[in-house]
Each structure stands twice: as structure tokens, then as C-alpha cells.
Amino acid sequence: MKKTLIIHPFLFAIFPLVFLYAHNIGQLFSLKEILIPMAVAICLALLVLCLLGLVLRDMEKAGLVVSFFLLMFFSYGHFYNLLYLYFFNEMLAPRFVIGGVEMGPNKVLLPIWVILLFVGTYFLIKTRSNLQNFTKTLNVVAFSLVLFSLINIVRYELNTPSSHGGSASNEQLNMTDSRQVDALPDIYYIILDSYAASHILKRVHGYDNSEFINYLSGKGFYIASKSRSNYASSYLSLASSLNMEYINYLSDTLGGSKSYTRVNQMIKNNKVMRFLKSQGYKFIHFSSGWGATHYNPYADMDLQPSYLSEFSVLILQSTMLRPFLKRFIMNDDKSRILYTFDKIAEIPYIREPTFVFAHILAPHNHVFGGIYRDQIPAINKRLKVLVEAILSRSDIQPIIILQADHGTAYTGNIDRLPAGTASAGQVEPPPEEVIRERMSIFNAYYLPGRGKELLYETITPVNSFRLIFKYYFGADLDLLEDRSYFSYYEDPYNFIDVTDILAKE
């Protein structure tokens, strides 16, 4: 009887990687990031298949065992997410306790997975059934799964407008004679994800932030108490502030699209960085562990606590290795944030002028335990230590911006379009209270000399570096009108001007 070609183990080895990339396409990763993991997966599958074939003396049976193991191994994380969502999410369900021991998803799922793995492997090894037809079927199934994901990737690449970074404007940073610095100050741009304005913290979250605000004021910071984000999401807000412009023109080419490829590149290869490097600055980028700010190839130094890429971590989180990841890598949010604070405090020791960009995923992510309001005092404590270190260690007074990318969204939906709304059509904004919560941000500046006198309470992030570059470096930049644009995550480039709504408060 003619032997059936065994290809399903290799296809099942690469399918999880291709699927993850296709599922996250346009937001987080470049295509080349999956090539090395795919090569490693294929080599390991080949090695195990050959060894198991020698032991069992049956390549079809060995192939089935390898494919079964791969399916179980790579599906673990997806079942973990489902289990957490419906049974362990503290927002939806009570804690799951057995015998006084709180059971998390891993404590429940891992033993089940190990048992299923051993039972299934034992059955496949002991079966005396003819496996040729089953092998053919698996070959077709595995090939189809990989093909569908590849088609989605190719279709996306062909239909996505080309991205060259930068912006649509031809504005040049011409220099004038009004430069206010002889020795270049270090510049720290620290983004605190979802750090709400003080009045929102008090009204929505029941937290009084006045002690921290008074501390910063006492250190010489200017608190822009009525500052608003220019856009409602991190991608859009950072692309705008780092390029010192409004990005509504993206609607012309990306209207109706959910792709963040263009703004991702705008964040990495941004005008602020390019200008400062042209002035002799060293660009130091701290990895956030998130999308566009996880890694920056244009940085002189890209600092992160793990050598693994975000895509590699995403792969590992989908596998049976998930319960053990935190023991071997520092890619969890808390370790990354503590690392970032510690390393930023050492920047003043660098003798060259430095531009530091750090996107810190707090207070958005609950890395310090408890609910959102519990994150604020924890992050404030770290910020106080950092401010003290920077100011005391700097020979030249630095420029420091502590700024949120956007506010919180606890009072209503900002992700999905209202029911019955066409994706690319005219959409209604959410209730005014939701807009005020999402767009009102914490925004504090430490500007040496008389720079503080130029600030005003309603300044928005798009004008932060326009003001700094004009005053301190003599750049020919005028301030833009401070405006805010809301868009739903489901339709990011369909911008709604909410400036007048925010002005009512």
C-alpha cells in the first residue's frame, strides 16, 4: 500500500504563529517577526517526529501524536482566556475557592490539560486502527487552516495603503534667533496611560489627587488643570503629540479601516525625535510592552527588561508554558514599569543630552493590585521618587512632561459603534459625561527658566513640543488651536469634534 505523505505536524507547528499574526495584523507586529519562530517550530516538529517514528516504528502514528501534542500545547492559552473571561473575571464572577485556596485559571486548567494530553497520547499509541485516511484528512485540515490565515495576510498587505511614516504636512522646523538654551537640557516625555484629570478622579473614581498635585507644584511643575487629550486612543494621541499636528487627514486614506500600521510608524519615526536628534540629542526609548511603543528601531538606546519580542511573548502566552512565564521573563507589566522607573532615574548620569520617551502602562493596567483608583497613589509614589532623582542629579535643569495619552472610560462604551450605525458613516458621540471622562487628562510640565510662563491651563498634547521647541530651540512653530476629537476604537478614523462639549465644563 502506498504511504501517505505526512505534512500535518509541520502545518500544525506553524499554524498558531500564522494565525496569531493574522489575528493581530496591522496593529502590533511586522511580518518578519514570525519567520524565526516558524523556522524553529518546523525544526522541532521534524526532530520530534523522527525520534518518535524510530521509537514507535510507525511514522503515521508518530505524526498523529506530534500533531495532537501541538494542538493541545498551543490551544492552552486560548482556553485560559475563555476560562478567565467567564469564570474568573472579578468583574463578572466571584472568586473561585476550594478548601480555602483561591483557584486561578492555571490551577484548574493545567491539570486537566496534562491529563488529556497523556490520555490522548496513550490512545493514539495503542490504537490498531488504520490511520492512513485519518492522516489524509489531517493533512487537508491543517493545510486549509494555514491557507486561510495566509490569504487574510496577503489580502491585508495588498489592500493597506503604503506607510512611510512621518506626516502629511510639509512643515519645516526652521530656526530663528530666539533660542533660550546654550547647554542642552535633558528632555523627559513620560506618558502615563489613562491617568485621568484630577476632577475626573474625584467625580468618577472617588479619589482626591490634590496631595500629589501640590507636591508637583511645589517642585516647580505647571499643572494644566483643564487639559484634554486631542484623541481618544493611545495610538492616535501619541501619533499626534509626537508629530505636533492633528492627524484627521488620515480619514482620507484610512476611513473605515481598523489598521494602526500607519500611526504605528508615525509614533516610531516621529518629528519630535527627528528634530531633537538633529540638535545633537541621544534618543532613549523605554519599552512599554505594548504595540507601537514596545520597540523603536530609530532609538539610540531601546531599553526593555526582556530580550523577547512582544510577538514571542504572545506566542508563549498561548501555550502550556503560560503558567511559568513570569518565573523566566520580566515581560509582565509590573516588572517592566518598575524597571522603567529605576532606569529613567539613571539618565542624568549620561553626559550627552538625552531625549527620553517612556510610555508607562499605568494607571491603566492594574499592576499594583486592586482597582483603578488604587493604582493612582502607587504610581504617584513612584513618580515622586523619580522626580526627586531627576532634579537632584541633573547638572542642567531638565524639561519634564508627565502626561496622559487619554483618560478613563468607566461611565460608558468607547470601543464599539452605537447599535445600528454603519462603520464608515456618520456616528453619534457617546454621552457627554463619557466624553469628558475619556478626554480629560493629567498633564504636568517642568520647564526651566521662564518657559513655565508660556503655559496655560487648557494646553493639549499637540502643542507641548511646539511650545518647547519654539521657546527653547527657536524653532519656527506656532501653537495650534487646542481641539479634541473622539472616535470609537471600532472605527478609529471617523473623528467627531467634541471640543465644544468639553468647553461646557
Side-chain angles (χ1 to χ4, degrees):
M1 182 181 292
K2 186 177 179 180
K3 291 291 184 180
T4 301
L5 184 65
I6 302 172
I7 62 171
H8 57 84
F10 309 108
L11 294 171
F12 281 127
I14 66 173
F15 168 68
L17 313 181
V18 178
F19 173 79
L20 279 176
Y21 178 80
H23 187 66
N24 294 278
I25 194 168
Q27 297 189 41
L28 303 180
F29 319 115
S30 62
L31 187 58
K32 64 183 180 181
E33 288 189 64
I34 70 172
L35 298 180
I36 294 178
M38 284 176 62
V40 172
I42 291 173
C43 290
L44 288 177
L46 177 62
L47 177 62
V48 175
L49 178 64
C50 292
L51 292 176
L52 200 57
L54 290 174
V55 173
L56 299 178
R57 297 182 180 180
D58 187 332
M59 290 301 292
E60 288 184 343
K61 188 173 289 188
L64 290 176
V65 172
V66 172
S67 288
F68 174 67
F69 173 82
L70 288 170
L71 289 172
M72 293 293 293
F73 182 73
F74 281 107
S75 65
Y76 179 89
H78 301 289
F79 280 89
Y80 172 98
N81 292 334
L82 290 173
L83 198 62
Y84 176 83
L85 179 62
Y86 292 106
F87 297 100
F88 292 90
N89 189 336
E90 62 183 10
M91 301 295 292
L92 302 176
R95 292 186 303 170
F96 190 45
V97 180
I98 297 179
V101 178
E102 185 172 347
M103 304 294 289
N106 284 319
K107 292 181 180 179
V108 174
L109 189 62
L110 187 60
I112 295 174
W113 235 241
V114 171
I115 291 172
L116 288 176
L117 191 58
F118 275 103
V119 171
T121 301
Y122 178 82
F123 172 79
L124 289 172
I125 291 175
K126 292 298 182 179
T127 185
R128 297 181 179 179
S129 302
N130 187 330
L131 300 177
Q132 192 171 39
N133 289 334
F134 195 24
T135 298
K136 291 179 181 179
T137 301
L138 276 183
N139 283 341
V140 173
V141 170
F143 179 79
S144 300
L145 289 173
V146 173
L147 181 63
F148 289 149
S149 292
L150 288 175
I151 289 173
N152 288 334
I153 294 172
V154 172
R155 182 186 299 148
Y156 172 85
E157 295 292 342
L158 292 177
N159 294 334
T160 300
S162 61
S163 171
H164 301 289
S167 66
S169 76
N170 294 316
E171 178 182 48
Q172 300 295 318
L173 299 188
N174 298 320
M175 307 301 289
T176 69
D177 294 329
S178 59
R179 188 183 183 99
Q180 296 297 314
V181 289
D182 294 319
L184 298 175
D186 289 337
I187 300 176
Y188 300 82
Y189 190 31
I190 300 173
I191 298 295
L192 304 164
D193 203 285
S194 294
Y195 198 130
S198 293
H199 63 282
I200 296 296
L201 287 176
K202 197 165 191 176
R203 185 166 71 235
V204 176
H205 303 282
Y207 183 80
D208 184 355
N209 204 29
S210 58
E211 188 275 331
F212 181 60
I213 298 299
N214 291 336
Y215 165 81
L216 289 177
S217 297
K219 287 295 178 180
F221 279 80
Y222 178 91
I223 312 299
S225 59
K226 296 183 180 180
S227 182
R228 271 89 180 196
S229 176
N230 300 109
Y231 295 93
S233 74
S234 297
Y235 276 109
L236 302 175
S237 178
L238 292 177
S240 172
S241 65
L242 286 168
N243 288 284
M244 303 176 288
E245 66 178 3
Y246 291 104
I247 58 173
N248 296 36
Y249 58 80
L250 293 177
S251 298
D252 297 336
T253 55
L254 296 174
S257 171
K258 297 180 183 179
S259 169
Y260 288 95
T261 300
R262 177 72 180 278
V263 289
N264 187 323
Q265 181 63 10
M266 290 175 68
I267 291 170
K268 294 181 188 301
N269 186 15
N270 62 78
K271 279 187 175 182
V272 169
M273 174 269 297
R274 294 201 303 270
F275 173 74
L276 289 173
K277 290 186 78 168
S278 75
Q279 298 298 302
Y281 276 79
K282 179 185 288 290
F283 175 34
I284 300 179
H285 179 273
F286 283 87
S287 169
S288 69
W290 167 85
T293 56
H294 173 63
Y295 169 72
N296 194 316
Y298 301 97
D300 296 296
M301 296 174 62
D302 190 273
L303 303 181
Q304 50 184 310
S306 172
Y307 291 106
L308 296 177
S309 69
E310 188 176 359
F311 185 67
S312 298
V313 174
L314 188 62
I315 293 171
L316 291 174
Q317 286 178 335
S318 72
T319 72
M320 290 180 67
L321 296 177
R322 181 172 187 142
F324 315 104
L325 289 183
K326 289 186 178 180
R327 296 185 182 182
F328 300 106
I329 63 175
M330 286 181 61
N331 250 354
D332 62 288
D333 287 340
K334 185 174 182 179
S335 297
R336 186 182 297 275
I337 289 172
L338 296 180
Y339 168 88
T340 299
F341 275 115
D342 290 341
K343 290 299 180 182
I344 293 178
E346 298 175 7
I347 297 299
Y349 296 134
I350 299 175
R351 289 308 166 192
E352 303 110 307
T354 57
F355 168 50
V356 174
F357 176 80
H359 178 198
I360 295 174
L361 299 184
H364 185 185
N365 289 2
H366 298 183
V367 298
F368 296 108
I371 59 177
Y372 175 85
R373 60 167 290 167
D374 296 332
Q375 309 305 303
I376 302 298
I379 203 73
N380 287 353
K381 181 179 179 181
R382 299 286 174 180
L383 287 169
K384 286 181 181 179
V385 174
L386 179 59
V387 166
E388 295 286 351
I390 293 174
L391 295 181
S392 64
R393 295 172 180 176
S394 299
D395 295 330
I396 302 169
Q397 280 191 300
I399 293 171
I400 305 172
I401 305 174
L402 305 176
Q403 188 177 90
D405 48 356
H406 52 72
T408 55
Y410 280 72
T411 56
N413 167 57
I414 58 112
D415 292 333
R416 296 184 178 180
L417 293 167
T421 302
S423 177
Q426 295 295 321
V427 297
E428 292 295 324
E432 291 187 4
E433 181 55 32
V434 177
I435 292 173
R436 292 192 185 97
E437 181 192 351
R438 185 62 174 182
M439 308 302 288
S440 299
I441 60 171
F442 169 77
N443 195 3
Y445 300 83
Y446 184 88
L447 301 185
R450 304 186 66 178
K452 181 178 176 181
E453 298 174 9
L454 303 176
L455 294 164
Y456 52 99
E457 62 182 1
T458 57
I459 188 173
T460 59
V462 73
N463 279 319
S464 295
F465 284 100
R466 283 179 167 268
L467 185 149
I468 289 169
F469 288 173
K470 182 169 186 174
Y471 180 71
Y472 291 100
F473 298 91
D476 187 15
L477 287 170
D478 293 323
L479 296 187
L480 302 177
E481 183 180 0
D482 291 298
R483 305 201 68 83
S484 295
Y485 298 93
F486 177 86
S487 61
Y488 291 94
Y489 185 82
E490 197 172 51
D491 192 12
Y493 306 106
N494 195 351
F495 300 112
I496 306 168
D497 192 334
V498 294
T499 308
D500 293 339
I501 293 175
L502 296 169
K504 294 178 184 178
E505 189 171 30

